Amino acid sequence: MNYVWDFAILGKYSHLFWLGIGWTLAYTIGTILIGSAIGLAVGILRLRRLPVIDWLLLTYIELFRCTPLLVQIIWFYYALPVIIGINIPAHAAAISVLSLYGGAFYAEIVRGSIESIQRGQWDAARALGLRPWQVLRLVILPQALKPMLAPYVNQSVTQLKNTSLVSIIAVPDLVYNATLINADTYRPLEVYTIVALIYFAMLFPATYLARRFENGMSYDKA
């Protein structure tokens, strides 16, 4: 197969690549922040073991963890408006689904990290006269940050990759803009090679950082 590569033709579309990068990073940062807040709240509430509330929270977590994100995006954008009778803008649908999806994973990271702290730390803090919320905020959460950090970074890396799926509802992220460029140039190999390299450039530093955190934790345990 004698295919002649031609990346030069993509030069005039650089503004679309940059626009896509901007939206991708904006969605990533925004949904990580919202998802982290959801995950922190849900993870802490699950520690209380209140039967009805815990069942509802677990249902939310498993619903988002056990169904494909692409299906969630399509359902939220196309099916939910039919049920509630209100149109949901593509941007709102993308942010909502990505945040809820990430929040489900962050919640388990938070819960597992807090529960990894020895019970004696809770008892010692209570013996000092601290209230439950003070024990959690001043004693437990600072200690839980270390085991939480590596899986948190890994999930955040996944969150960036997941933003590529919102292109299915015409959100102008990097992948969606790439489809526009491809439709105009008919050069899919060049277009998606550039997209792959851009994602690699954004993701590799984060994955390297996560690896360093994991290695650091391994040395500490040793």
Side-chain angles (χ1 to χ4, degrees):
M1 182 177 180
N2 296 321
Y3 183 80
V4 179
W5 294 80
D6 183 11
F7 287 96
I9 195 174
L10 302 181
K12 65 178 180 179
Y13 298 98
S14 60
H15 65 287
L16 285 177
F17 283 116
W18 283 111
L19 181 63
I21 292 171
W23 277 112
T24 295
L25 291 176
Y27 278 111
T28 301
I29 294 170
T31 58
I32 285 175
L33 292 175
I34 298 172
S36 297
I38 295 172
L40 182 63
V42 172
I44 291 175
L45 283 173
R46 287 211 62 211
L47 296 172
R48 304 296 298 273
R49 302 298 183 187
L50 301 174
V52 176
I53 294 177
D54 191 56
W55 182 85
L56 291 173
L57 296 177
L58 186 60
T59 299
Y60 152 66
I61 290 171
E62 297 304 328
L63 179 64
F64 278 89
R65 291 205 310 168
C66 297
T67 54
L69 179 56
L70 181 61
V71 174
Q72 294 173 22
I73 293 171
I74 294 172
W75 190 91
F76 200 95
Y77 183 64
Y78 292 106
L80 186 58
V82 175
I83 296 173
I84 63 177
I86 300 174
N87 287 328
I88 301 175
H91 289 292
I95 292 172
S96 299
V97 177
L98 286 173
S99 298
L100 290 169
Y101 181 83
F105 287 88
Y106 288 134
E108 289 299 276
I109 292 171
V110 170
R111 182 191 60 79
S113 298
I114 291 176
E115 290 185 342
S116 71
I117 305 303
Q118 294 181 356
R119 198 67 200 174
Q121 298 291 323
W122 294 83
D123 298 334
R126 290 194 190 97
L128 294 174
L130 296 177
R131 296 181 178 180
W133 67 270
Q134 292 177 314
V135 174
L136 186 64
R137 182 171 62 89
L138 300 176
V139 179
I140 303 303
L141 275 178
Q143 296 183 68
L145 286 177
K146 193 170 185 178
M148 191 187 301
L149 204 50
Y152 179 85
V153 173
N154 280 324
Q155 180 56 39
S156 298
V157 169
T158 301
Q159 194 78 351
L160 195 158
K161 289 189 290 186
N162 285 341
T163 59
S164 63
L165 297 175
V166 300
S167 60
I168 195 69
I169 56 174
V171 170
D173 73 318
L174 181 57
V175 173
Y176 180 76
N177 282 349
T179 61
L180 298 181
I181 297 170
N182 181 52
D184 198 42
T185 62
Y186 298 100
R187 308 294 295 188
L189 300 184
E190 290 87 342
V191 170
Y192 290 107
T193 297
I194 294 295
V195 169
L197 291 174
I198 291 172
Y199 271 109
F200 180 83
M202 291 191 294
L203 287 166
F204 180 74
T207 56
Y208 176 76
L209 188 63
R211 195 176 303 113
R212 290 293 298 271
F213 284 140
E214 291 174 351
N215 291 338
M217 290 178 59
S218 300
Y219 291 141
D220 291 342
K221 290 179 181 178

